[in-house]
Amino acid sequence: MPMLLLPAVAQETADPAERFAVHGQSTYVWQRQPAFASPYAGTNSLSGRRATSYSLTATVDVGARLWEGAEVHLNGERAQGIPFSGLHGLGGLTNGELAKTAGSDMRFYRARLFLRQTWGLGRGSEAVPADMNQLAGVVDKRRIVLTAGNLSALDIFDAVSVSHDPRTQFMNWAFMTHGSYDYPADARGYTWGAALEYIDEGWAVRAGRFMQPKESNGLPLDTRLGRHYGDQVEFEKSHALFGRPGTLRLLAFRNKARMARYDDAVAAASIQGGVPDLAPVRREHAKIGLGIGVEQALGDHAIAFARASWADGKTETYAFTEIDRSISGGVVVDGAAWGRAGDAAGAALALNALSGPHREYLRRGGLGAFLGDGALNYGTEQIAELYYSWRPLRRLWISADAQYIRHPGYNRDRGPARVFSVRVHTEF
C-alpha cells in the first residue's frame, strides 16, 4: 500500500515558522522472481514461473499554514505497475508500492487532503523539521493534535521509524505495519476520517475513525461513517533500556462493515455443494484485532523493532492483506557505522498465520482477496528480507533488496519463493 512517511535521514531542519512548502518524491521498484516449485496452482496462486514486476509512483505535497497551529496539505499522486500474478498468492506481498489498482497505465489521483490542528499545552517546546506532509515549526511538548480529511491511517498509527515505508525501508507488506492490522483504506491505501492525539513528554494516546471501502478491497469508500467504519486506538510510551531510547506501542482496532464470515461460506457450500463463496453470505459484521510493537536503539547507529498482532480471523480480509496472526522483527543499521552516513542496511523476519475458519475456507477451494490455490496443505508463511540503501546524492537513494518466502500463500506444497529487487527513490 502507498504511504509517505519518510525516514529520519531524509529530514532536515528548516525555518521554524514555515508558512508554505512544496515537497515531492518518486520511487521506482523493479523485482525479479525466479521459478520455484509449484505442483499445482489455483485462480489466486503466485505463479511458479519466472516473472518480473515493477512499480512507479510520484507524489507532490503542497502544504500551507492557515493560522496558528493549523496546516493543510494536498497530495497529488500518480502510479503505475505490474505485480506478480495479479497481486495474488501471498499474505506478505513483496512490494508495498503496488496498490490493488495497479496496472500498466499511469493513474493520476488525489492521495491526501487533510487539515492538522495543534493546540499547545506547555511543558517546553520542540522543533518539528520540514518533511513530506509536515511544515517546519515549533510545538509544545504537551499538545493535542487533530488530523482530519483524506489521508492514510498509517500516517498516524503504528509509526515504527525503521519499518513503515516501502519507499525507503523494507518492501514486504508484512513489515509495513502489523500484518493482522486490517486498517481502513481504499484499494490505493487511503481513506477519509479523523484522528485525535494527546501527546505528552514521553507518552501519547491517539484514536481515530475512518471510512471503509464499500466492498472488500475496493476503491469506492462507504461514506456512512455512523454505520460502516474502522476505529483504532493506540497508546505509545517512550522508555530507556540500558541508557538507550525505545518506544512501546499498543494498538486495538474494530472494523464494522458488510463482510462475509468464513464459517458461513463453508456451511453454505456443505449444503448446496461446490466450493465455498464469500459473496452470497455477506452480512453486517464486526472484526477486531490487537497489536503490540516496540522499537529499541541498540547503539548509536542501530535500531531493532518487533511487532506481534492478532485479528479474530472470522470474517474476510476487508482492506489490507490476508494475515490473521503475525510476528515480525528486525534490525536497521545506519551507514554511519561504517563511514557512510545516509546509507542504511536492514534485516527482518516475519511469521504469518491464518485463523482456523480462514484455513478451512481455503482448503475447500474458496477464493480470498489474495489467496486461493484450489487446495491447501497449510503451513505458516515465513518471510526473510534483507536490503541495503545507498545514498550517492543528497536526494537520491538506490537500494538492493532480497526476499525469501517459505510456504507462500500458507501452502507447504509450494515454494520457497525468492524475489530480488532494485529500488530508486528521489525527493525534492
Side-chain angles (χ1 to χ4, degrees), residues 152-153 181-186 189-191 209-213 229-232 255 319:
S152 168
Y181 181 20
D182 200 1
Y183 67 93
D186 64 16
Y190 302 108
T191 183
R209 170 167 286 193
F210 299 96
M211 292 180 187
Q212 293 278 24
Y229 49 81
D231 284 345
Q232 36 267 301
N255 296 335

Side-chain angles (χ1 to χ4, degrees), residues 146-195:
L146 172 66
T147 307
N150 181 197
L151 69 161
S152 168
L154 297 187
D155 292 346
I156 300 169
F157 294 89
D158 189 39
V160 174
S161 65
V162 293
S163 182
H164 199 66
D165 186 355
R167 292 173 175 170
T168 56
Q169 300 167 346
F170 297 101
M171 296 186 191
N172 195 284
W173 289 30
F175 303 120
M176 288 166 49
T177 184
H178 292 289
S180 304
Y181 181 20
D182 200 1
Y183 67 93
D186 64 16
R188 294 190 178 111
Y190 302 108
T191 183
W192 285 81

Side-chain angles (χ1 to χ4, degrees), residues 56-347:
L56 174 63
T57 65
T59 314
V60 175
D61 163 47
V62 179
R65 195 174 301 279
L66 302 181
W67 53 78
E68 184 178 357
E71 55 188 86
V72 64
H73 291 268
L74 170 64
N75 286 190
E77 192 162 81
R78 64 177 188 174
Q80 70 179 92
I82 299 296
F84 294 126
S85 304
L87 209 64
H88 292 126
L90 293 167
L93 295 150
T94 63
N95 181 3
E97 277 290 86
L98 276 168
K100 300 156 196 172
T101 57
S104 57
D105 295 332
M106 182 69 74
R107 304 290 179 89
F108 296 85
Y109 53 90
R110 183 196 62 247
R112 293 175 177 85
L113 176 58
F114 68 88
L115 171 73
R116 181 188 298 119
Q117 174 68 59
T118 301
W119 293 279
L121 301 175
R123 287 199 181 172
S125 61
E126 59 187 5
V128 175
D131 205 344
M132 288 288 289
N133 303 308
Q134 180 174 284
L135 295 177
V138 175
V139 296
D140 286 358
K141 290 183 178 180
R142 185 173 62 177
R143 58 192 182 273
I144 294 173
V145 181
L146 172 66
T147 307
N150 181 197
L151 69 161
S152 168
L154 297 187
D155 292 346
I156 300 169
F157 294 89
D158 189 39
V160 174
S161 65
V162 293
S163 182
H164 199 66
D165 186 355
R167 292 173 175 170
T168 56
Q169 300 167 346
F170 297 101
M171 296 186 191
N172 195 284
W173 289 30
F175 303 120
M176 288 166 49
T177 184
H178 292 289
S180 304
Y181 181 20
D182 200 1
Y183 67 93
D186 64 16
R188 294 190 178 111
Y190 302 108
T191 183
W192 285 81
L196 188 65
E197 303 173 82
Y198 177 86
I199 302 170
D200 207 337
E201 193 169 10
W203 65 279
V205 62
R206 53 187 63 93
R209 170 167 286 193
F210 299 96
M211 292 180 187
Q212 293 278 24
K214 289 184 176 180
E215 58 184 34
S216 173
N217 289 282
L219 187 58
L221 290 167
D222 189 336
T223 59
R224 297 171 294 177
L225 263 176
R227 182 175 180 182
H228 296 152
Y229 49 81
D231 284 345
Q232 36 267 301
V233 178
E234 185 176 57
F235 176 77
E236 176 180 298
K237 180 70 172 69
S238 300
H239 63 264
L241 184 64
F242 302 113
R244 302 289 182 179
T247 304
L248 174 71
R249 297 180 180 90
L250 302 175
L251 173 76
F253 71 90
R254 182 179 184 270
N255 296 335
K256 180 75 163 42
R258 191 170 183 273
M259 302 179 282
R261 287 173 57 102
Y262 295 115
D263 282 346
D264 291 345
V266 170
S270 297
I271 296 172
Q272 300 169 7
V275 300
D277 185 6
L278 297 172
V281 296
R282 288 194 171 107
R283 303 288 187 273
E284 297 288 327
H285 291 296
K287 178 179 183 177
I288 60 173
L290 302 169
I292 180 170
V294 62
E295 55 182 307
Q296 177 65 50
L298 301 181
D300 292 338
H301 306 297
I303 297 177
F305 72 93
R307 292 183 175 106
S309 60
W310 169 92
D312 60 30
K314 298 176 182 178
T315 55
E316 64 184 307
T317 296
Y318 207 74
F320 190 39
T321 189
E322 294 196 56
I323 300 174
D324 299 322
R325 322 277 189 263
S326 183
I327 299 173
S328 64
V331 177
V332 175
V333 183
D334 190 282
W338 54 89
R340 284 286 313 170
D343 289 10

